[in-house]
């Protein structure tokens, strides 16, 4: 059942939807839940890829904040094949559950899910330009999603291990796909993030610069004093100043690209 919400004179409709994901590249067919939030007159659409904690209340609030800015937003269940309804808290038990399902995700699955979501949005809103934002593991996946030619702009918030790991792959890394990104890609992290050491940031910076020699499409944004998960109010590392800055820069990118 759709839920109507109003904030700052903006009326939005929010509801769970079910998106069919066909079998492809070793990916089994399934139905993927998504939290779909639609403003009255959308100016663009954004895919929201969650942390390992699932499409929980904070992730849904991100989609709703984007809708209040005029963007249709679809928060995807990236664990749709093993735990489609995962919604856990920011504690050790929640982290353990999320990591169990994280390790079952493959790049092929993610790309199939993203294409299904893109097709679903474009069927009803073909004129909307598309963006993507992801947090933590969702940030890592957002870098992969950015290779979808329909996505014009992507924000990867503290997507760790992109220089050393690619879901479901043995030899390749997620960072190796950056040259395939046709749109814009901004990577965000805190300089106190233990999951993203200096060598990881250097690798990301080098990959972005190599793929965008003019420096007009890609960007690495390092937030001083911020740790991992600094955008999320429910996490211990929440950093109000860095979160506000990251949110505003994301909106800047989407306003320019979408």
């Amino acid at each position: 059942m759709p839920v109507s919400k109003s904030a700052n004179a903006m009326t939005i409709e929010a509801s769970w939807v079910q998106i069919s994901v066909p079998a492809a590249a070793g990916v089994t067919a399934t139905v993927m839940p998504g939290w779909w939030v639609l403003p009255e007159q959308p100016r663009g659409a954004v895919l929201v890829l969650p942390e390992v904690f699932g499409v929980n209340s904070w992730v849904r609030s991100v989609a709703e904040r984007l809708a209040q800015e005029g963007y249709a937003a679809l928060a995807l269940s990236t664990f749709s094949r093993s735990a489609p309804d995962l919604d856990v808290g920011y504690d050790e038990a929640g982290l353990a559950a999320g990591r169990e399902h994280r390790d079952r995700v493959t790049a092929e699955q993610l790309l199939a899910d993203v294409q299904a979501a893109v097709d679903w949005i474009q069927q009803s809103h073909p004129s909307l330009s598309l963006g993507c934002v992801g947090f933590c593991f969702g940030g890592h996946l957002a870098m992969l999603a950015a290779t979808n030619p329909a996505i014009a702009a992507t924000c990867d918030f503290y997507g760790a291990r992109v220089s050393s790991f690619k879901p479901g792959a043995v030899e390749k890394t997620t960072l190796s796909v950056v040259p395939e990104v046709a749109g814009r890609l901004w990577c965000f992290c805190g300089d106190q993030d233990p999951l993203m050491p200096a060598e990881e940031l250097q690798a990301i910076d080098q990959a972005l610069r190599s793929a965008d020699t003019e420096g007009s499409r890609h960007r690495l944004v390092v937030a001083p004093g911020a740790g991992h998960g600094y955008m999320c109010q429910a996490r211990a590392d929440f950093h109000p100043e860095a979160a506000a800055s990251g949110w505003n820069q994301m909106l800047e990118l989407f306003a320019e690209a979408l």
Side-chain angles (χ1 to χ4, degrees):
M1 179 70 67
V3 178
S4 296
K5 301 184 179 184
S6 180
N8 299 326
M10 175 73 74
T11 299
I12 62 176
E13 297 289 335
S15 63
W16 287 103
V17 297
Q18 302 290 324
I19 300 171
S20 296
V21 181
V27 177
T28 57
T30 189
V31 175
M32 173 176 59
W35 182 245
W36 173 239
V37 193
L38 185 67
E40 291 179 271
Q41 296 181 324
R43 56 193 294 194
V46 179
L47 301 181
V48 182
L49 305 186
E51 310 151 299
V52 298
F53 307 97
V55 186
N56 60 15
S57 60
W58 182 74
V59 171
R60 297 195 299 272
S61 77
V62 170
E64 290 161 13
R65 287 180 68 188
L66 283 166
Q68 290 164 14
E69 296 290 343
Y71 298 101
L74 178 61
L76 301 180
S77 172
T78 52
F79 299 156
S80 60
R81 287 162 183 79
S82 61
D85 300 319
L86 186 72
D87 178 347
V88 295
Y90 296 95
D91 54 17
E92 289 300 320
L95 182 60
R99 284 179 170 173
E100 175 187 349
H101 297 286
R102 175 200 65 186
D103 293 339
R104 302 180 186 180
V105 175
T106 67
E108 289 78 12
Q109 171 200 322
L110 183 278
L111 293 174
D113 291 352
V114 166
Q115 187 60 59
V118 167
D119 293 343
W120 187 86
I121 292 173
Q122 291 182 333
Q123 284 174 4
S124 56
H125 300 279
S127 65
L128 296 184
S129 296
L130 300 179
C132 179
V133 59
F135 303 89
C136 193
F137 184 54
H140 186 126
L141 298 180
M143 185 175 286
L144 292 168
T147 63
N148 187 297
I151 296 178
T154 299
C155 289
D156 160 8
F157 280 94
Y158 33 86
R161 299 197 297 162
V162 294
S163 68
S164 60
F165 170 75
K166 184 180 181 182
V170 177
E171 297 179 355
K172 295 182 179 180
T173 68
T174 293
L175 201 58
S176 68
V177 309
V178 169
E180 303 173 31
V181 177
R184 301 175 67 178
L185 173 61
W186 288 12
C187 298
F188 296 78
C189 65
D191 66 0
Q192 301 300 307
D193 187 342
L195 301 183
M196 302 186 72
E199 55 268 24
E200 170 95 336
L201 301 187
Q202 291 168 2
I204 293 172
D205 188 48
Q206 182 177 354
L208 296 179
R209 290 177 183 272
S210 296
D212 176 28
T213 55
E214 296 181 357
S216 59
R217 294 190 300 118
H218 303 334
R219 181 180 300 182
L220 174 63
V221 180
V222 180
H228 192 73
Y230 68 83
M231 292 290 291
C232 178
Q233 299 94 322
R235 303 190 67 161
D237 272 338
F238 175 60
H239 192 295
E241 294 79 11
S245 177
W247 183 263
N248 289 334
Q249 288 179 85
M250 177 185 68
L251 292 181
E252 173 192 341
L253 174 60
F254 289 160
E256 293 174 358
L258 306 187

